[in-house]
Amino acid sequence: MYVILVYDIITDEKGKKILPKVFKTCKKYLTHIQNSVFEGELSRPNSLALKKELDLYIRKDKDSVILFHTREEKWLSKEFLGKVDDKTSNFL
């Protein structure tokens, strides 16, 4: 499946330590395209592994990671990890 991943890590004292770990984890699985945005093809097992690794770092009450999954470019489903902040509800 094709995935677009975006993250938002609050850069308080702890966040400054979390941010490089999240970046490195995302870069391990996907292509870095812009600041906190990654994209690429992921198998189901790799998708699960990526989410499991990110779950070790993100703070559920402060940070967020959004994964957009699609099989065709015109259809997109979205999945949130951590804090849900759906500013793209009109995204088509």
Side-chain angles (χ1 to χ4, degrees), residues 3-53:
V3 174
I4 298 170
L5 180 147
V6 295
Y7 63 77
D8 188 16
I9 306 299
I10 301 301
T11 53
D12 55 11
E13 194 62 35
K14 189 171 181 183
K16 289 178 184 176
K17 295 176 183 176
I18 292 170
L19 187 59
K21 294 174 184 178
V22 170
F23 179 86
K24 186 176 179 181
T25 300
C26 292
K27 194 160 175 74
K28 186 166 116 178
Y29 292 93
L30 299 165
T31 302
H32 181 230
I33 59 170
Q34 179 182 345
N35 292 336
S36 59
V37 182
F38 291 79
E39 70 177 354
E41 290 289 330
L42 270 184
S43 65
R44 179 123 175 102
N46 279 346
S47 178
L48 293 172
L50 171 61
K51 290 187 279 186
K52 185 176 180 180
E53 284 186 52

Side-chain angles (χ1 to χ4, degrees), residues 6 66 68 76-80 85-92:
V6 295
I66 306 171
F68 297 93
L76 195 65
S77 67
K78 138 179 86 160
E79 179 178 351
F80 290 86
D85 189 5
D86 191 3
K87 295 178 182 167
T88 62
S89 59
N90 294 324
F91 183 82
L92 294 175

